[in-house]
Amino acid sequence: MPQITQLAEVFASQLFWLAVFFGLIFFGIGRGMLPRVRSAIDQRDSKVADDLEKAKLARTSAEETEARWRARMDEARVEASRIAQEAKGASARETEARVKEALGEIDSKVELARLRIRDAVAAARTELEAVAAEGAQQMVQQLTGIKVERQDAAKAVKSELEIMTPVER
Amino acid sequence: MSAQGKIDPMHQFTIEPIAPLHLGGYDISFTQSAAWMLFAFGLILAFMALGLKRELVPGRWQMAVEGLTGFIDDMVKVNIGPEGRKFIPFIFALFTFILVSNLAGLLPLAVIPGAHPFTTTSQFSLTGVLAVLSFSIVLIVGFWRHGLHFFSLFVPHGTPAVMVPLIAPIEFISFMVRPFSLGLRLFVAMIAGHILMEVFGSFIVSGLNGGGIGFGVAILSFLFIIFVVALELLMCVIQAYVFALLTTLYLGDAVNLH
């Protein structure tokens, strides 16, 4: 086993060169380069953390803006519905008024017409009474030979007609 | 690889000097083992340097480097706690050096005539030193932070007073065994895998030379060696991880005292 048989003869050399190269790795790379790699990593981590923080801030501000916008939208919507309601109410009232007016007009027309009808009915009745009284007078004279006074005949016809037709409304 | 065509599986672990060098009576020749350490260092340096662009949006290479450092950071944080940050360079050096050395030993360089990879972590003189280094740091940190109170590590919480004389030596022994278990585990895992590959490689060569039933043996050995290489790749990573993980666990003990 050369490791043992050679030990005494190569140990100094092994130790020396190990010290040299291990020392170079330890001091040159381990203490020289490693911290720089580490600082690069730390820098990146802090940058990432920073950016994340900034992003978070931006997000909260965006959310605030959105909340404000939403509140304004809600307000506007309420306002709009109020205006619409008002407009609807106003137009309904107007329509009502117009309908009422029209109804009044119609009523007055109807009233007029009714008056005219009553007048016509009254006129017709007087005429009818006169004709009926005359007719009754002649009928009685021809049937019985009794001469009935014109006024009595008219009275009798009138009373008969009043029994037959109800009192005028 | 002796002259008779016989294959010596241990030969691959021999350290050969490249440039002789002496310093104050010590032989510190630049060996091929040192060259492979240099290779590991260069590879780690290149890997890190290419990933050190410090861009805000990392590229692939930077992601890989940051993944590695993040992995080490996590391991240290979990096992030592927030005070472990100062150990990160050491754990990083341990993990990367062992990982790259392990994997460099598996490079298929033998296809180039005359070249063959050398696994520095299959040398006990290296893994032992690393283990002792880890253990010394654990001891220094422990005594530095807790003084003599560090010895309370040998008496786990809630041990009845009667049991203390029994538990303490056991804990002490298990504590002292740590550097050996650290160094030996890595060394043995590496050497075993390499011997296995070498032996079955030699079976392929001998089988093909033998002919007849030898071909069957060669094919079987070849299939087996594929499996062993895959296992070894896994082993390289696991051993580096285990070494670094155990060091952080021991350091965690020293820093937090249970």
Side-chain angles (χ1 to χ4, degrees), chain B residues 11-236:
Chain B
H11 178 76
Q12 55 173 325
F13 303 116
T14 314
I15 295 174
E16 282 147 6
I18 295 174
L21 191 68
H22 291 267
L23 188 77
Y26 290 105
D27 175 18
I28 53 161
S29 306
F30 189 78
T31 59
Q32 109 266 39
S33 169
W36 281 95
M37 290 185 223
L38 172 64
F39 173 74
F41 165 68
L43 213 59
I44 298 166
L45 185 69
F47 175 73
M48 292 298 285
L50 280 170
L52 206 61
K53 291 183 197 125
R54 298 165 57 84
E55 276 163 14
L56 188 63
V57 179
R60 285 181 203 181
W61 206 286
Q62 197 180 337
M63 280 296 268
V65 170
E66 284 174 6
L68 176 67
T69 60
F71 166 70
I72 304 279
D73 279 6
D74 284 349
M75 184 160 67
V76 168
K77 202 181 289 167
V78 167
N79 294 320
I80 306 181
E83 289 167 86
R85 281 180 84 93
K86 54 182 174 293
F87 300 115
I88 287 175
F90 176 63
I91 303 297
F92 175 82
L94 266 184
F95 179 73
T96 51
F97 178 69
I98 294 173
L99 179 69
V100 173
S101 299
N102 287 352
L103 290 172
L106 283 181
L107 288 177
L109 289 183
V111 295
I112 305 163
H116 60 89
F118 179 82
T119 318
T120 49
T121 41
S122 68
Q123 298 293 318
F124 188 64
S125 45
L126 194 142
T127 61
V129 169
L130 286 181
V132 167
L133 183 64
S134 290
F135 190 65
S136 318
I137 288 173
V138 169
L139 282 183
I140 291 166
V141 167
F143 282 112
W144 186 278
R145 289 183 57 93
H146 304 291
L148 291 181
H149 196 62
F150 183 53
F151 285 114
S152 73
L153 191 66
F154 302 134
V155 185
H157 267 302
T159 313
V162 207
M163 297 292 281
V164 168
L166 194 66
I167 296 283
I170 294 173
E171 286 282 325
F172 179 72
I173 290 168
S174 81
F175 184 75
M176 293 311 287
V177 160
R178 283 174 179 185
F180 297 101
S181 74
L182 261 186
L184 276 176
R185 181 182 296 114
L186 176 58
F187 157 69
V188 166
M190 284 304 113
I191 197 173
H194 282 264
I195 290 174
L196 206 59
M197 287 188 284
E198 185 91 15
V199 165
F200 279 90
S202 76
F203 281 0
I204 297 174
V205 176
S206 323
L208 289 178
N209 287 340
I213 204 163
F215 285 121
V217 173
I219 289 165
L220 275 182
S221 302
F222 183 70
L223 290 177
F224 185 73
I225 218 168
I226 292 172
F227 167 71
V228 170
V229 170
L231 191 71
E232 270 306 291
L233 283 172
L234 185 67
M235 215 51 167
C236 290

Side-chain angles (χ1 to χ4, degrees), chain A residues 1-3 6-7 12-14 17-18 21-22 24-26 29-30 33-34 36-39 41 44, chain B residues 10 13 15 27-29 33-34 38 49 52 54-56 66 69 73 85 88 90 92 97 122 125 191:
Chain A
M1 210 171 181
Q3 286 96 328
Q6 274 193 317
L7 189 59
S13 150
Q14 284 280 79
W17 291 111
L18 176 65
F21 292 123
F22 193 76
L24 279 175
I25 294 173
F26 176 70
I29 300 173
M33 293 164 99
L34 211 52
R36 294 178 57 207
V37 173
R38 191 91 131 290
S39 78
I41 296 173
R44 178 179 323 126
Chain B
M10 302 309 283
F13 303 116
I15 295 174
D27 175 18
I28 53 161
S29 306
S33 169
L38 172 64
L52 206 61
R54 298 165 57 84
E55 276 163 14
L56 188 63
E66 284 174 6
T69 60
D73 279 6
R85 281 180 84 93
I88 287 175
F90 176 63
F92 175 82
F97 178 69
S122 68
S125 45
I191 197 173

